[in-house]
Amino acid sequence: MKKIPIANPYIEKSDAEEVRKTITKGWITMGKKTEIFESMLSEYLNVKYVVAMNNGTSTLDAILSALNIKQNDEIIVPDMTYISTANVAEYKKAKLILVDCDKSTYNISVKDLIKKISNKTKLIMVTDMKGMPVDYKEIIKISKKNKIPLIADSAESLGSSYNNVKIGSQTLAHSFSFFANKNITTAEGGAVVTNSIKIYKKLICIRNQGQKGRYNHVMLGNNYRMNDILATLGIQQFKKIDKIINYKNKIAKIYNSKLQNVVMVPHLPEYVTRHSWYNYTIRVPKKLRNRLINFLSKNGIETRISFPPIHTQPYYKKKLSKSNFPNSIDAYNTMIDLPIWYKMPMKDVNFICNKVINFLDKNR
Ligand SMILES: *Cc1c(COP(=O)(O)O)cnc(C)c1O
């Protein structure tokens, strides 16, 4: 039986050829290719500074270091996010304050955020879940009013736009990831983008063991360097980003039109003027969800339930004080990510829609 994967990186022969050239030419660690990759990102996102690193988690950690986050600092973290958003705060021994998600966007709930801010809050972290920008205008208002810095885990939203501005310049620093299942990939990789020269200077130092001048270490850093082999792949991948996102938008349009009468399809607020469609997520009643997943799987269709809420993770469950997250629990129990990737045949998209419709017809 034919299998339809949930995601599928798009790497061409010419990408591999460029990587081969870099390897055989001799300079394989961080160098010129990394710089070119950074300047491509900077131009695309219209931000002043870009610091490429070895993965997305490193970029988040480096941002917290640059902002001097310390033990017991209260940090706002979305409950609905990938584990790394929480882990980097935990590594600093900061106090995580989890915030419930919004019912329909999976992004941080502005209402719950307002409730959880205190005079001890040192930082607000948000995540553009599934590639959908958070409501930056509202959250920036809260951040300014309370004089709390705001940063974003934008790992999934490269190429998305908020009110016609690409994600990357809305907050003090945005973190991106180029992991294999992201819209463009360097296998492992990440980048911080910022318009703050102060943060930029710290980040380039932190990325390279806190070094300023050879073997002169002025602050605590780490080895978070990108390398030129992966940056070469990044340069090649970057040329395709709009093609990839436009294609995914076409898939999403078909899913939306065929499925909107049978399941809950993604809700796009007006401020989302472009969606990267990292994931396409539908919602079905809890009692049918796992059965639908099995049914699709039997038909060769791979699906995913994305990240369990942070407060349910065994490591955090024991440590965090009790709080309620009704929206993130409900989302987690009812969502399914459907396959969406560049060059996925449109007949497969239609096949998936028909299978979902068949299943729900039989089980209403
Ligand atoms: C992919 C991702 C990251 C970073 O992952 P790395 O594997 O470290 O590159 C962080 N947050 C979210 C929401 C992600 O999807």
Side-chain angles (χ1 to χ4, degrees), residues 12-13 23 134 189 195 204 218 228 258 281 289 339 353:
E12 292 174 289
K13 273 209 183 93
I23 295 171
V134 304
N195 280 317
I204 44 176
V218 296
D228 269 20
K258 293 218 157 179
T281 307
R289 201 270 305 268
C353 291

Side-chain angles (χ1 to χ4, degrees), residues 54-60 80-85 127-130 153-156 175-182 187-190 278-279 307:
N54 57 348
N55 62 61
T57 308
S58 299
T59 63
L60 287 168
M80 185 61 90
T81 184
Y82 181 52
I83 195 78
S84 59
T85 329
T127 302
D128 302 316
M129 279 296 287
K130 307 187 180 294
D153 179 346
S154 298
E156 302 177 357
S175 154
F176 291 101
S177 165
F178 308 111
F179 184 67
N181 67 359
K182 302 297 199 269
E188 297 275 5
Y278 169 64
N279 291 135
F307 330 127

Side-chain angles (χ1 to χ4, degrees), residues 285-303:
K286 185 179 171 185
K287 62 180 195 318
L288 295 180
R289 201 270 305 268
N290 289 356
R291 283 172 56 208
L292 175 57
I293 290 173
N294 287 336
F295 176 77
L296 293 176
S297 167
K298 281 196 191 110
N299 284 284
I301 302 162
E302 189 186 19
T303 58

Side-chain angles (χ1 to χ4, degrees), residues 145-211:
K145 186 175 151 223
N146 295 280
K147 297 194 175 65
I148 303 166
L150 169 68
I151 65 161
D153 179 346
S154 298
E156 302 177 357
S157 59
L158 184 65
S160 292
S161 298
Y162 179 86
N163 285 331
N164 295 313
V165 178
K166 288 225 178 72
I167 293 306
S169 55
Q170 286 75 11
T171 77
L172 209 45
H174 288 253
S175 154
F176 291 101
S177 165
F178 308 111
F179 184 67
N181 67 359
K182 302 297 199 269
N183 278 354
I184 61 163
T185 182
T186 60
E188 297 275 5
V192 185
V193 307
T194 180
N195 280 317
S196 154
I197 181 127
K198 213 173 116 198
I199 291 177
Y200 170 71
K201 282 186 170 166
K202 282 188 182 164
L203 288 172
I204 44 176
C205 202
I206 290 161
R207 169 174 70 178
N208 196 11
Q209 309 283 15
Q211 175 171 287

Side-chain angles (χ1 to χ4, degrees), residues 102-113:
D102 178 85
K103 262 190 186 142
S104 57
T105 63
Y106 313 111
N107 284 333
I108 197 163
S109 150
V110 172
K111 215 169 113 197
D112 198 35
L113 170 64

